[in-house]
Amino acid sequence: MATLPRIKLQHRLPVLPGVCYCYSSTPSVTSFSSVNSVSGFSKKCEGGFKASRRLVVGLGAAFWAQFMNMAGNVGANSFIASARQKGAVEQILKNVDWPEQFPFKEEDFQRLDESPDSMFYGIPRFVTHIDDPAIAALTKYYSEVFPPSNTPGVSILDMCSSWVSHFPRGYKQDRIVGMGMNEEELKKNSVLTDYVVQDLNLNPKLPFEDNSFDVITNVVSVDYLTKPLEVFKGNVPDS
């Protein structure tokens, strides 16, 4: 049988004191003090060695110092990028050139599944639809723009609500109404003082008098509306 030629792969691995990169199923750590190249110490890894506590601690300290230095640079760059992004977003909302006519047609809101939404939302789903960083950012925004907690006479409507509204922890007002599709979910929402079950895709008219609310929220839900113009024009002054 012919002998196949051996191919030596050059791996660009970082050379750290005390770490042995062994190409086996069991990684090994050896206690030699310094290594000049991967190929030079790979032979010493054959058979494997038990890790030395002193080595691990020493390696950990060296690695941690390098990591913290790198993390500091990354953190600073991330902060600068975040500040720039925030400024750019704020500029986008200034002097917006809105189209004179609504750019979408009725058929644009047709769905592949046109069965009643009540069938899908009949089963309670106690899940969140955005990740934790997005929730934290939303809650922080609410804390900056909402009226202070327990402000006399303030009423809030949370449209397309569910079992959680992502309001600041402990936030309260005399009247916070949730409008959603599932009663069990709305009952679990501790921030609400009242709730209404209504399918806005069937009936986009809100069952409230004019000027009933000081704040109306609608988060990660507007894309579910098939009649968004009717919903917002009929419920927002001067819309």
Side-chain angles (χ1 to χ4, degrees):
M1 181 180 295
T3 302
L4 296 176
R6 298 181 63 183
I7 301 176
K8 184 176 180 181
L9 300 178
Q10 298 292 336
H11 294 273
R12 294 191 176 183
L13 297 175
V15 180
L16 298 175
V19 178
C20 177
Y21 296 92
C22 299
Y23 304 100
S24 64
S25 59
T26 304
S28 303
V29 181
T30 183
S31 58
F32 51 84
S33 59
S34 63
V35 178
N36 295 324
S37 66
V38 173
S39 59
F41 71 81
S42 61
K43 296 180 180 179
K44 297 186 180 183
C45 293
E46 296 176 0
F49 294 87
K50 293 184 178 179
S52 167
R53 178 177 297 182
R54 180 179 301 177
L55 167 67
V56 172
V57 172
L59 172 62
F63 175 77
W64 184 252
Q66 296 181 22
F67 174 78
M68 290 302 293
N69 183 40
M70 295 171 59
N73 293 333
V74 171
N77 293 336
S78 298
F79 176 79
I80 295 174
S82 176
R84 290 175 178 173
Q85 183 180 14
K86 183 177 180 181
V89 171
E90 292 175 348
Q91 291 299 321
I92 290 176
L93 298 178
K94 293 182 178 180
N95 301 323
V96 178
D97 186 15
W98 299 105
E100 295 183 0
Q101 295 183 352
F102 193 57
F104 301 106
K105 301 177 181 178
E106 184 177 352
E107 54 265 27
D108 293 330
F109 294 94
Q110 294 178 352
R111 300 166 295 183
L112 294 177
D113 182 4
E114 289 291 350
S115 59
D117 291 333
S118 57
M119 295 178 60
F120 178 83
Y121 291 102
I123 302 174
R125 293 175 174 83
F126 300 103
V127 298
T128 55
H129 300 283
I130 51 178
D131 59 17
D132 291 341
I135 292 174
L138 176 61
T139 302
K140 182 176 182 296
Y141 175 75
Y142 281 157
S143 67
E144 295 172 350
V145 300
F146 272 9
S149 186
N150 293 312
T151 300
V154 168
S155 295
I156 297 178
L157 172 64
D158 186 25
M159 294 176 61
C160 303
S161 187
S162 181
W163 67 283
V164 61
S165 297
H166 308 306
F167 287 7
R169 183 183 297 273
Y171 188 82
K172 294 182 179 181
Q173 296 295 353
D174 290 338
R175 188 186 186 204
I176 302 180
V177 181
M179 171 175 283
M181 290 286 294
N182 186 279
E183 186 173 10
E184 294 301 317
E185 294 178 2
L186 295 170
K187 285 182 179 180
K188 290 286 186 179
N189 194 330
S190 59
V191 76
L192 302 180
T193 62
D194 194 7
Y195 65 83
V196 175
V197 178
Q198 180 172 322
D199 186 351
L200 291 173
N201 288 337
L202 290 179
N203 179 16
K205 180 64 177 178
L206 301 188
F208 308 106
E209 298 292 333
D210 291 344
N211 302 316
S212 295
F213 299 99
D214 302 281
V215 178
I216 298 178
T217 58
N218 185 307
V219 176
V220 295
S221 300
V222 67
D223 48 320
Y224 292 96
L225 298 177
T226 59
K227 301 179 178 68
L229 283 184
E230 288 85 343
V231 171
F232 295 118
K233 278 189 173 182
N235 301 293
V236 179
D238 301 326
S239 59

